[in-house]
Amino acid sequence: MPLTIKVTEETFTPRQQAVLTAALDLLVENGDGLTMTAVARRASCSKETLYKWFGDRDGLLTATVQWQAAKVRMPQVDRSGLSAKTLRASIEQFARDLLTVITGEVSITLNRTAVTHAAQEKDSLGMIVLENGPLAIRRRLKPILEAGRDARLLRFTSSEDAYRTFFGLVVRDVQIRLLLGDKALTQTNVADNIEADVKAATDQFFALYGAKATTA
Amino acid sequence: MPLTIKVTEETFTPRQQAVLTAALDLLVENGDGLTMTAVARRASCSKETLYKWFGDRDGLLTATVQWQAAKVRMPQVDRSGLSAKTLRASIEQFARDLLTVITGEVSITLNRTAVTHAAQEKDSLGMIVLENGPLAIRRRLKPILEAGRDARLLRFTSSEDAYRTFFGLVVRDVQIRLLLGDKALTQTNVADNIEADVKAATDQFFALYGAKATTA
DNA sequence: TCGCAGGCGTACCGTACGGTACGGTTCTAG
DNA sequence: CTAGAACCGTACCGTACGGTACGCCTGCGA
């Protein structure tokens, strides 16, 4: 399977999507339990079909991650009619989206899979996850930030730095702890605190980059 | 091998440490290449000895991680004679230590190993890494922060929140991108920027929590 | 009705690797 | 000098899993 630049829902037939769903379910249920035999049994198809469609195990894994990533379509935030209020609402929404995604079971599983993959000098899965996680957020957030600057609501020199600070303020140590399986961070526990964390992170972001703030 | 509460250098004989060094080297060179046969060959010992000393593959892995973690002894920062200047220097030192560690090849390898491990419902390695990484920093940073607050140099209500914000400001998206194998983040590239990042993160931390700052 | 493509299920193969067994060697204690 | 413990090297076993081959069934177009 060659490098696929863009994966849409139509890239796979419904039957293939059913197979990928089975693969993703297995992955979530039991991280490394993604054996070709298990997928074939779960999806009620033959292994031969799997190899015909996806080439090899890595191809199936890649297709699964790409397909799942294509499903995550974050809500577009309106850029027009920018006011202090709407800007803040947009930023909060980004923070909420980000936290909701990274604390989700599917995201944790895919990130773990990609990290494992990267430990074997194969970074393709990592790039896919990056591309559809942090980088996707960045692509959508940067224009908002720059619009905020144009409207004299934000102050910064590098929108890249502003974005990365935002990421840090929102994610903090939550993602790495979840990936490492920290039991002190029960998922429900995290989910319950998302709203408070969103507000705190947004407050801090405006404290650093708001028009009235003085940054170094 | 039962749960070892604390691992010191003396926990293992020199010969055993040589074995663990070999294991760590193999892990760094080639993430998943840690086979018992490879370790035995690299360390010039027999597999039987490995099993006698470490029980099974997981025991060897755990011992390797624990032993490496025990080697990382971060420099203690002086808490006495707290002034604005020394406090800032301490904070900067923490930021520098944190960034230096997480961008190191060994840290990346161990984190990847622990994440992979956590994907198999085995969180012991994850806890060890957490305990000796983020949590170790936290244990040492919190007293400094609280001393800074007592000296009216910092303002915050929860030192836990202050620590986590510090972590986010320093680490941002660097760690997850390194774990995912982002090629855009060459290690040398990151290393060259550490000083600038340290300064920026410290500035932002003081902007949020410095005595003169107004936080929400 | 016939032929055939697509696909299911299963049996099969090769290999890699965790774990064990065992003979041979070195070192130490008595 | 000898007995035994520790340990090295290697051969071996069992299993899990990636990948292939093949027989069978179903649906569909001619």
Side-chain angles (χ1 to χ4, degrees), chain B residues 35-36 47-48 51 56-57:
Chain B
T35 69
M36 301 302 275
K47 285 171 66 176
E48 196 168 21
Y51 285 101
D56 58 5
R57 185 176 182 277

Side-chain angles (χ1 to χ4, degrees), chain A residues 3 15 17 42 57-58 68 73 78 91-92 97 114-115 121 133-134 151-152 165 167 176 181 197 202 215:
Chain A
L3 177 66
R15 183 74 182 96
Q17 292 187 32
R42 175 73 66 105
R57 184 177 182 277
D58 251 32
Q68 168 61 22
R73 284 279 160 264
D78 189 13
I91 306 274
E92 278 191 358
D97 288 352
V115 167
E121 288 115 74
R152 300 268 189 274
T165 300
F167 186 96
I176 187 64
D197 289 348
T202 308
T215 62

Side-chain angles (χ1 to χ4, degrees), chain A:
Chain A
M1 171 162 296
L3 177 66
T4 306
I5 300 301
K6 182 114 170 86
V7 173
T8 66
E9 305 264 343
E10 298 85 39
T11 307
F12 302 107
T13 67
R15 183 74 182 96
Q16 287 173 333
Q17 292 187 32
V19 170
L20 295 178
T21 300
L24 186 62
D25 287 350
L26 278 174
L27 221 49
V28 171
E29 284 171 25
N30 166 5
D32 65 338
L34 190 95
T35 70
M36 301 302 275
T37 306
V39 174
R41 189 159 39 226
R42 175 73 66 105
S44 292
C45 72
S46 74
K47 284 170 65 175
E48 196 167 20
T49 304
L50 291 184
Y51 284 102
K52 176 184 264 184
W53 285 349
F54 304 106
D56 57 5
R57 184 177 182 277
D58 251 32
L60 173 60
L61 219 48
T62 305
T64 304
V65 173
Q66 283 178 325
W67 176 69
Q68 168 61 22
K71 281 200 304 184
V72 179
R73 284 279 160 264
M74 309 177 188
Q76 277 295 344
V77 177
D78 189 13
R79 180 185 166 146
S80 65
L82 204 63
S83 69
K85 205 167 191 119
T86 61
L87 176 64
R88 189 189 173 85
S90 294
I91 306 274
E92 278 191 358
Q93 188 56 41
F94 272 96
R96 188 159 27 236
D97 288 352
L98 185 52
L99 271 181
T100 306
V101 168
I102 68 166
T103 58
E105 223 172 336
V106 172
S107 166
I108 295 175
T109 299
L110 294 187
N111 273 277
R112 280 181 180 159
T113 305
V115 167
T116 302
H117 214 245
Q120 308 165 2
E121 288 115 74
K122 298 188 271 184
D123 50 3
S124 56
L125 281 191
M127 287 314 295
I128 295 172
V129 169
L130 271 178
E131 194 62 39
N132 292 279
L135 299 188
I137 297 244
R138 181 176 72 168
R139 267 195 306 276
R140 288 174 40 239
L141 179 56
K142 266 191 180 177
I144 307 281
L145 296 181
E146 283 160 9
R149 179 175 57 179
D150 295 345
R152 300 268 189 274
L153 295 171
L154 294 177
R155 284 173 49 154
F156 53 81
T157 55
S158 158
S159 64
E160 174 72 11
D161 284 348
Y163 156 73
R164 295 181 70 192
T165 300
F166 173 78
F167 186 96
L169 287 172
V170 172
V171 173
R172 303 196 288 182
D173 59 355
V174 171
Q175 187 170 31
I176 187 64
R177 288 174 68 182
L178 287 176
L179 292 184
L180 288 172
D182 187 353
K183 285 221 161 49
L185 248 65
T186 316
Q187 240 111 318
T188 60
N189 199 349
V190 172
D192 290 347
N193 289 338
I194 280 190
E195 273 314 310
D197 289 348
V198 162
K199 182 162 185 332
T202 308
D203 284 344
Q204 293 177 325
F205 183 76
F206 274 98
L208 290 176
Y209 293 102
K212 298 177 210 112
T214 64
T215 62

Side-chain angles (χ1 to χ4, degrees), chain B:
Chain B
M1 170 163 296
L3 177 66
T4 306
I5 299 302
K6 181 119 172 81
V7 173
T8 68
E9 306 262 342
E10 298 85 39
T11 307
F12 303 107
T13 69
R15 184 74 183 95
Q16 288 173 332
Q17 292 186 33
V19 170
L20 296 178
T21 301
L24 186 62
D25 288 350
L26 278 174
L27 220 49
V28 171
E29 284 171 25
N30 167 5
D32 65 338
L34 191 94
T35 69
M36 301 302 275
T37 305
V39 173
R41 187 158 43 225
R42 175 73 66 104
S44 291
C45 72
S46 73
K47 285 171 66 176
E48 196 168 21
T49 303
L50 292 185
Y51 285 101
K52 175 184 264 184
W53 285 348
F54 305 106
D56 58 5
R57 185 176 182 277
D58 250 33
L60 173 60
L61 219 48
T62 304
T64 304
V65 173
Q66 282 178 326
W67 176 69
Q68 168 62 21
K71 281 200 305 185
V72 178
R73 284 279 161 264
M74 310 178 186
Q76 277 295 345
V77 177
D78 188 13
R79 179 183 165 148
S80 65
L82 204 63
S83 69
K85 208 170 189 115
T86 60
L87 176 64
R88 188 189 173 86
S90 294
I91 306 274
E92 277 191 358
Q93 190 55 41
F94 272 96
R96 189 158 26 235
D97 288 351
L98 185 51
L99 270 181
T100 305
V101 167
I102 69 166
T103 59
E105 224 173 336
V106 172
S107 166
I108 295 175
T109 299
L110 293 188
N111 274 277
R112 280 181 179 158
T113 305
V115 167
T116 301
H117 214 246
Q120 307 164 2
E121 290 116 71
K122 298 188 272 186
D123 50 2
S124 56
L125 282 192
M127 287 316 294
I128 295 172
V129 169
L130 271 179
E131 195 61 39
N132 292 279
L135 299 188
I137 298 244
R138 181 176 72 168
R139 267 195 305 277
R140 288 175 40 240
L141 180 54
K142 266 191 180 177
I144 307 284
L145 296 181
E146 283 160 9
R149 178 176 57 181
D150 294 345
R152 300 271 189 272
L153 295 170
L154 295 176
R155 284 174 49 156
F156 53 81
T157 54
S158 157
S159 64
E160 173 72 11
D161 284 349
Y163 157 74
R164 296 182 70 191
T165 300
F166 173 79
F167 185 96
L169 286 172
V170 172
V171 173
R172 301 196 289 184
D173 58 356
V174 170
Q175 186 169 33
I176 186 65
R177 286 174 68 182
L178 287 175
L179 291 184
L180 288 172
D182 188 352
K183 285 222 161 46
L185 246 65
T186 317
Q187 240 111 316
T188 62
N189 198 349
V190 172
D192 291 347
N193 289 339
I194 281 190
E195 273 314 310
D197 288 348
V198 162
K199 184 165 183 328
T202 309
D203 285 342
Q204 292 177 325
F205 183 76
F206 274 96
L208 289 176
Y209 293 101
K212 298 177 212 113
T214 63
T215 61

